[in-house]
Each structure stands twice: as C-alpha cells, then as structure tokens.
Amino acid sequence: MKRTLVVTALLAASLTGCQENPVSGRKQLVLVSEEQAQASSAQAYASTLSEAEKKGKLSRDAALNNRVKRITDRLIAEARLMYPPSRDWKWSVAVIDEPTLNAWCMPGGKMAIYTGIVNKLNLNDDEIAQIMGHEISHALLGHGRERMSRAMAMQGGLMLGSIVAGQDLSALGAVADIALTLPNSRAGESEADRYGIELAARAGYDPRAAVRLWEKMGAASGNSPPQFLSTHPAPDNRIQALNALVPKMMPIYEKARS
Ligand SMILES: [Zn+2]
C-alpha cells in the first residue's frame, strides 16, 4: 500500500508520464526521459560488452562481424530518415558468441546479435535484416523506455525516488539490464513488426524474409522457447499480419534495390 502511494505520488509529480509516441502515435507510460534511457543504456551496454570480452564471448569471426555491420549500417541509414532524432544516436553493434537465440537494440541504438540465432536458424542476410529491423524499431518507438519504466516500478518506490531525483544513475543502469529481460507488450510487438519490415524494405531487404524468420523461430521453439520469444511475445496473428504487409512492402523493396 505504502509503495503504491509512493509510486503514485511520483507518477503525479513525474517529469514524463503518459506521452504520445512521435513515430507510432500510441500513448505510452514513461517514467524515464529519453536522455536518461540512453545514458543508462550506454552504461549497461559497456558493461555487457566488457563482461562478454572477459569471458571471451565477443565474436572474433571477422566475416560475421562485417556481415552484421554491413546489414545494420543500411538499416541505421533508413532509421535516421524514419526518426530524425536518431541521427544523434551513438549507434553500435556487437556480435556475442553464445548459443542463445537472441538479439536486441537498447534505447540510443546499442545493439547486439548472438551467434546462436544466426547459426541455429541458419539466417540469411534478409532474415538478419528483419530481426535487426524489428529490434531497431523497438528503440525508435520508445519501447525500451517503456520496459525500463516497468523495471523501475518493479524495483519499488525508494529506488524510483532516487532515480527521478536524478541522484542514482547506477541504479538506472541496473534497470536498463532488467528491462532487457522483460517481455515487450503484444501491442509493442505488432508495432515493431510493422515498422521493422518497412525499415528493412527501405534498406533493400526482402519483406518475405520476415515471414520466413518468424516461421523458423516458431519451429525452433519446441520444448525450450528461445530467449528471444520470451522477450518478444507473439501477437496472435503475427505471421498473418506480416503476410498482409508483404504486398505493400514489395514496391518499396524493389525501388530500394533498383
Ligand atoms: Zn519484439
């Protein structure tokens, strides 16, 4: 009860609150400013990478690193056109050498893809572009901030207080870590599917690969669902919705390729 009151009071006094997303127009509850989200994500990203480095888990496969960089560079160029504030982001991508089926993009454009998802799903360039386009869309659409806001609420009122007061960025770094493990909402997933397929089409990647990607992901889920699916819950009609988008995306894709 007490905690609820603290959270409510902070919400009422909050500098952010309920905002309309500039890209999607959807109302989102956000307790973290874009600046806070990016600063804490940069911190969480640096520690994730140094941790991976220590364990020898940063991929040294030059061909794979170059391939991922080439694909994400093309997506970033389109993201900057779709959402101009992202021109100022310090984009970065890492390939992490772990068998997990996962990929993510934090607020501010800090991305990672795991060798597990590339190898186990035998992804081609178009499919990698679909997965990273989807991840980048989550960042463009402010979904990371939504997840961080939920992580903050989970951590309780005191921590929230020190963060809102701007006193504790390290606590916010922990929140950025936790946020990566929380599922997106199904509404958020539909949005990221919709914008991700267009981002990839504009960058010259085949929209039909989006359907194949999610079919592969479904087939791989079997007994132990990939980590990716726990953080990206499937909207009921995902494959159907993506299929319906393909005809609209094909002309964009063909124009980008010509
Ligand atoms: Zn997602």
Side-chain angles (χ1 to χ4, degrees):
M1 183 62 189
K2 196 179 167 193
R3 179 172 140 178
T4 312
L5 282 175
V6 173
V7 173
T8 310
L10 281 163
L11 272 178
S14 170
L15 56 164
T16 46
C18 201
Q19 295 176 351
E20 193 168 285
N21 184 274
V23 182
S24 66
R26 185 166 65 88
K27 285 261 199 302
Q28 294 168 310
L29 181 67
V30 275
L31 302 171
V32 203
S33 72
E34 186 59 34
E35 292 71 27
Q36 284 175 316
Q38 290 190 20
S40 57
S41 294
Q43 213 173 56
Y45 187 71
S47 70
T48 300
L49 260 51
S50 79
E51 197 66 18
E53 174 81 65
K54 258 185 253 164
K55 293 184 194 155
K57 296 269 169 97
L58 273 188
S59 171
R60 305 221 178 278
D61 179 340
L64 179 59
N65 273 279
N66 290 338
R67 190 178 161 211
V68 167
K69 179 86 168 58
R70 193 181 64 242
I71 296 166
T72 50
D73 277 351
R74 281 166 60 178
L75 293 169
I76 291 165
E78 295 305 321
R80 287 175 164 152
L81 296 173
M82 193 184 267
Y83 183 58
S86 71
R87 283 180 200 150
D88 299 328
W89 291 8
K90 294 184 176 57
W91 295 87
S92 175
V93 65
V95 180
I96 299 179
D97 196 5
E98 281 183 23
T100 170
L101 272 65
N102 204 7
W104 39 259
C105 178
M106 291 178 171
K110 303 282 194 262
M111 301 174 274
I113 186 165
Y114 292 69
T115 50
I117 198 167
V118 179
N119 296 334
K120 286 184 191 159
L121 299 189
N122 192 24
L123 298 180
N124 64 25
D125 285 10
D126 291 306
E127 291 159 350
I128 290 177
Q130 294 298 337
I131 213 151
M132 296 318 287
H134 177 98
E135 290 309 310
I136 289 169
S137 296
H138 276 306
L140 297 180
L141 293 158
H143 296 163
R145 288 171 70 195
E146 269 187 308
R147 290 157 88 184
M148 285 177 72
S149 302
R150 274 161 55 212
M152 279 167 71
M154 282 165 56
Q155 293 301 295
L158 279 178
M159 184 181 175
L160 183 58
S162 64
I163 291 168
V164 171
Q167 292 159 351
D168 196 350
L169 197 66
S170 65
L172 202 53
V175 161
D177 274 339
I178 298 164
L180 275 186
T181 68
L182 294 178
N184 284 289
S185 66
R186 282 178 165 75
E189 281 306 302
S190 295
E191 276 177 11
D193 282 349
R194 163 69 188 81
Y195 287 91
I197 194 173
E198 181 168 348
L199 207 51
R202 290 191 195 183
Y205 291 105
D206 192 339
R208 291 165 292 194
V211 178
R212 282 201 307 273
L213 169 72
W214 291 106
E215 283 170 352
K216 282 185 178 182
M217 196 80 80
S221 62
N223 293 334
S224 55
Q227 191 176 2
F228 191 83
L229 287 182
S230 67
T231 51
H232 300 262
D236 293 338
N237 55 350
R238 163 168 274 155
I239 300 271
Q240 202 187 336
L242 285 169
N243 251 323
L245 284 169
V246 168
K248 290 179 205 143
M249 295 298 142
M250 287 306 284
I252 300 174
Y253 162 62
E254 273 151 13
K255 186 167 169 237
R257 280 178 56 89
S258 64

